[in-house]
Amino acid sequence: MYSNTWTHVFSNEVACDVTEEHYHGDAYCKQIVADTLTVLKWGIQTYLGSSERIANETFDICTDEGAKYHIEFGINTYGRKAARLECTITAPETEGYDQKLEELKIALKNRLIQDWKVCTWLVDMQSAYLCKEAYERAFIVENNLRAFASKVLIHFMGIDWLNSTGLEKEAESVKNLKQKFIKRVPEFENINADFLSMTLETLEKVMFERKVYKDTIVLDKSQYAKVLEIAENGKNANNVAEFIKSNRTVEKDIWNNLFVPYIENPEQFKQAIHNFTEDRNYVAHSKVLSWSSYQIILGDFDKMDDFIRQADAEFESKVTSDEVLETWDAIQEEERNEREYYRERIANEAGVDILDADEIKSWFDEVIYGLYSEAYQRYHLDVCYEISDYQTITDNGICFTIVSPVLEDNSLRVDVIAEYSIDDDLGEDSTCEVACKDGAGRTICWENIYFHNGNGYEGEECIMEVSENSEYDSSEMNDLRDNLFGYIDEELNPYPEKLNTYIYENKGLNDWTADFACIQCGKFGVSINEDFLPAGRCCYCGCDNELEKCDRCGELVSADDIVHDFCPSCLAYIEKE
């Protein structure tokens, strides 16, 4: 897209062909603004000419309420080979959120992107304001989480909990960050800054993934023989150390032993923290936000805060004694039987992944959760869809659901369902069928996840050897993901297609939807015909827009546009008369 054109003409003055340059930037920018205002259905443009430099076209956009938005189009061309257009919008100061500014910048972007190869969003002070407001809320929620985690960990593991065996990586990370914290804020060098110096991601790992081990390690005869074998084969000290570490005795599973007893729904709690962390990092980096996505993020923050407060109240209502923790340790020790000992020997000595039923299911769930994470990233901030929390199911059932909110009965949905068939014996196969079904229970697509448990035998010198390797296969999930996303994007909500078909069959006549955009998604799909959808319902996002009937013409219009019971067209006609 260029603002200038060049033509070759014959010059009588120099008696040869010359190139004439013609500037079109002013006409182009005028058309862009006019097209934008046509879409918005509000605003009057005033062309101010080129300001400060050549090809810097400026406009004022005035609203009926008297607000004025200033737009500058800086046109830059480079040797007839490339062009760049810089668009700047200056808005008036307002007490609340300027919805018209959001509408203007989005509509202007949508018009310009039709003519240019790429649109780069450089500075957006309106989004920066939303990010600032959201981060203040995130700061409070995050500190509540740190306070709850600190209370639990110190109660059960003591003030020196971070130096427990098994938390070496986290301790080193906190140590480095603590030095930076004290350097920046020397007034607080004499406080316990473990949690203040710990990133949220490190705290999640401590809560959800880490186990604490006994300080002493005892090797049986076969394990000791394995150490000697590793050393005799000339392998380095790290191999010996890793083998010994793999045989440590778990003293506490931090998540299951210390936190789960106080959390009503552990999986939802985990999911809420995952969502909170993603949203918090998003606003911390001041990425682009719209008003609707801002509301979704605040909702996630509130959900996380509710979970924390409930867990904290449950913790305060109970006093867990040392005897209970000792009982848990004793139960873990008693559960080690001959079968598990044999399986552990194969895993440790032969280096084969031998998984029990819970671990196999956990891997299946991890693969399904990967699908959920991709779906969450794709649809979470899109107001045209609602995605549920991820549910880790016990046997068979729905893992998560994606809904189009256009119908109140949630029949426009896709349920992602897992059905497990697990055999954790040595050398056996396990499968997990993942099916996607619509609201009527019809299967859209399905694929399988496979796991084969390895096996081994005791060879010479009483050392376990491999007879079958464990195999992981989740390759079919790529096709499932593509089919699922294709259905959601193209078929889940049939109403936009119904609208397009109706308009086409009626040769452009549209008495189903209004000529103004939905207040939530900004698309032109607000129903004004009960034969299509309930009046006011957007066929894209399901938002119920408030409509009122004009006393003069009887047309349904947005309640915001009604003045003295007349629509804008009738009001203009009356005022003219």
Side-chain angles (χ1 to χ4, degrees):
M1 177 63 64
Y2 295 96
S3 62
N4 298 353
T5 58
W6 298 268
T7 57
H8 296 289
V9 299
F10 183 80
S11 172
N12 293 324
E13 295 180 4
V14 296
C16 65
D17 287 340
V18 297
T19 301
E20 289 186 351
E21 182 175 359
H22 306 277
Y23 177 68
H24 308 288
D26 51 352
Y28 173 71
C29 293
K30 289 177 182 177
Q31 187 61 49
I32 290 295
V33 174
D35 292 347
T36 300
L37 296 184
T38 298
V39 171
L40 290 175
K41 304 294 184 183
W42 58 260
I44 300 173
Q45 68 158 298
T46 300
Y47 176 59
L48 304 178
S50 185
S51 173
E52 298 182 357
R53 43 152 278 195
I54 295 173
N56 189 60
E57 307 299 335
T58 59
F59 297 80
D60 278 343
I61 307 299
C62 296
T63 68
D64 294 338
E65 296 79 14
K68 181 185 292 184
Y69 299 90
H70 183 72
I71 305 177
E72 294 186 7
F73 297 95
I75 304 173
N76 303 279
T77 59
Y78 303 91
R80 305 184 188 178
K81 296 180 180 179
R84 185 180 75 244
L85 184 143
E86 296 180 6
C87 179
T88 304
I89 303 175
T90 303
E93 293 186 3
T94 58
E95 293 183 3
Y97 186 77
D98 192 341
Q99 188 65 44
K100 287 192 177 296
L101 173 59
E102 179 177 303
E103 294 173 4
L104 176 60
K105 68 185 181 184
I106 296 300
L108 192 59
K109 178 264 296 179
N110 289 341
R111 174 59 185 88
L112 287 170
I113 200 65
Q114 300 174 26
D115 301 334
W116 298 81
K117 287 186 176 181
V118 66
C119 172
T120 303
W121 214 264
L122 299 176
V123 178
D124 191 330
M125 297 307 297
Q126 189 179 41
S127 287
Y129 169 78
L130 293 180
C131 287
K132 173 180 174 293
E133 293 293 309
Y135 192 77
E136 288 181 0
R137 177 62 177 150
F139 179 81
I140 297 173
V141 176
E142 182 175 339
N143 282 342
N144 289 342
L145 175 61
R146 292 178 185 273
F148 169 65
S150 173
K151 190 183 300 183
V152 173
L153 291 170
I154 291 176
H155 176 79
F156 289 115
M157 299 171 61
I159 60 173
D160 201 30
W161 66 270
L162 190 56
N163 292 319
S164 300
T165 303
L167 301 179
E168 292 81 5
K169 291 182 179 179
E170 288 72 23
E172 183 64 24
S173 172
V174 169
K175 178 182 177 182
N176 294 333
L177 293 175
K178 187 186 295 185
Q179 293 172 351
K180 296 178 181 180
F181 170 80
I182 293 174
K183 184 176 180 180
R184 289 193 181 98
V185 194
E187 296 85 353
F188 292 93
E189 64 178 347
N190 58 346
I191 69 169
N192 183 340
D194 290 347
F195 275 92
L196 294 176
S197 306
M198 182 181 296
T199 66
L200 186 56
E201 289 75 12
T202 299
L203 178 58
E204 285 187 59
K205 287 185 177 180
V206 170
M207 291 179 62
F208 301 146
E209 301 177 15
R210 294 297 178 251
K211 295 179 176 62
V212 174
Y213 300 90
K214 290 185 177 180
D215 293 333
T216 57
I217 301 175
V218 179
L219 300 179
D220 60 26
K221 182 178 180 180
S222 64
Q223 293 168 339
Y224 178 69
K226 183 63 177 180
V227 172
L228 294 179
E229 179 190 0
I230 295 174
E232 290 172 356
N233 289 336
K235 297 180 181 178
N236 59 40
N238 286 336
N239 296 97
V240 176
E242 289 300 320
F243 177 79
I244 293 175
K245 284 173 63 178
S246 69
N247 286 278
R248 295 181 297 181
T249 302
V250 174
E251 187 173 45
K252 293 183 181 71
D253 181 322
I254 290 179
W255 174 244
N256 290 316
N257 295 155
L258 306 188
F259 285 96
V260 168
Y262 306 101
I263 298 172
E264 183 176 355
N265 193 316
E267 292 304 324
Q268 289 186 9
F269 188 94
K270 275 187 176 183
Q271 183 61 47
I273 288 185
H274 173 76
N275 295 348
F276 170 77
T277 302
E278 287 195 347
D279 291 341
R280 172 260 206 188
N281 290 342
Y282 188 94
V283 300
H285 292 90
S286 297
K287 296 185 179 180
V288 177
L289 276 183
S290 65
W291 180 254
S292 59
S293 59
Y294 170 69
Q295 296 300 322
I296 292 173
I297 286 175
L298 288 187
D300 285 345
F301 289 172
D302 289 341
K303 181 184 291 187
M304 181 70 257
D305 201 37
D306 288 342
F307 276 128
I308 295 170
R309 293 180 184 278
Q310 291 170 9
D312 186 67
E314 184 69 13
F315 176 82
E316 291 292 347
S317 69
K318 297 180 180 178
V319 178
T320 307
S321 67
D322 294 338
E323 288 74 15
V324 173
L325 292 176
E326 291 173 3
T327 301
W328 290 343
D329 291 336
I331 292 174
Q332 290 179 343
E333 292 296 323
E334 291 172 0
E335 289 176 345
R336 285 176 58 97
N337 51 36
E338 184 176 345
R339 174 179 180 272
E340 293 304 315
Y341 175 69
Y342 187 84
R343 293 161 65 94
E344 288 177 4
R345 283 193 60 198
I346 296 176
N348 296 331
E349 298 174 25
V352 180
D353 288 342
I354 304 297
L355 305 187
D356 60 25
D358 288 340
E359 291 168 332
I360 295 172
K361 183 178 180 299
S362 179
W363 180 69
F364 286 157
D365 290 340
E366 181 180 335
V367 175
I368 301 171
Y369 185 79
L371 173 66
Y372 173 80
S373 295
E374 290 189 66
Y376 185 88
Q377 288 294 326
R378 188 181 180 97
Y379 300 110
H380 172 53
L381 295 181
D382 191 336
V383 294
C384 295
Y385 303 97
E386 293 175 357
I387 183 167
S388 70
D389 291 335
Y390 181 81
Q391 299 288 338
T392 299
I393 55 180
T394 304
D395 189 6
N396 304 319
I398 298 174
C399 297
F400 64 94
T401 299
I402 299 174
V403 177
S404 169
V406 171
L407 297 183
E408 294 179 346
D409 62 1
N410 288 337
S411 59
L412 302 180
R413 72 176 190 273
V414 179
D415 296 324
V416 178
I417 301 170
E419 183 174 349
Y420 304 89
S421 177
I422 296 176
D423 186 345
D424 67 350
D425 283 343
L426 299 175
E428 297 298 331
D429 295 313
S430 298
T431 61
C432 176
E433 180 181 292
V434 182
C436 303
K437 297 186 178 183
D438 64 16
R442 293 183 293 263
T443 299
I444 301 164
C445 54
W446 65 272
E447 300 289 353
N448 285 316
I449 312 168
Y450 303 93
F451 175 77
H452 177 77
N453 225 359
N455 204 350
Y457 62 94
E458 191 174 79
E460 297 180 2
E461 299 179 355
C462 300
I463 299 298
M464 289 291 183
E465 296 181 9
V466 180
S467 61
E468 297 178 64
N469 282 313
S470 294
E471 297 177 4
Y472 302 78
D473 185 2
S474 60
S475 59
E476 294 183 8
M477 295 301 289
N478 291 329
D479 290 338
L480 181 79
R481 176 200 59 211
D482 294 342
N483 291 332
L484 171 62
F485 289 177
Y487 177 85
I488 294 171
D489 294 341
E490 302 296 333
E491 301 180 46
L492 176 59
N493 178 9
Y495 284 91
E497 183 61 28
K498 287 183 179 180
L499 176 61
N500 292 334
T501 301
Y502 178 81
I503 295 174
Y504 175 80
E505 292 176 349
N506 287 273
K507 300 180 179 180
L509 175 64
N510 178 14
D511 59 358
W512 274 10
T513 58
D515 60 355
F516 57 86
C518 171
I519 61 173
Q520 178 168 268
C521 69
K523 298 180 180 179
F524 289 82
V526 179
S527 173
I528 56 174
N529 192 322
E530 295 286 341
D531 291 336
F532 179 48
L533 282 171
R537 179 77 52 79
C538 175
C539 72
Y540 291 95
C541 69
C543 175
D544 286 320
N545 295 258
E546 185 178 357
L547 305 181
E548 289 189 17
K549 183 178 291 186
C550 174
D551 281 355
R552 181 176 179 272
C553 66
E555 290 291 328
L556 286 174
V557 298
S558 172
D560 294 335
D561 295 334
I562 288 290
V563 178
H564 303 306
D565 298 323
F566 297 108
C567 68
S569 298
C570 290
L571 185 64
Y573 176 83
I574 293 171
E575 291 175 348
K576 183 178 179 180
E577 292 293 317

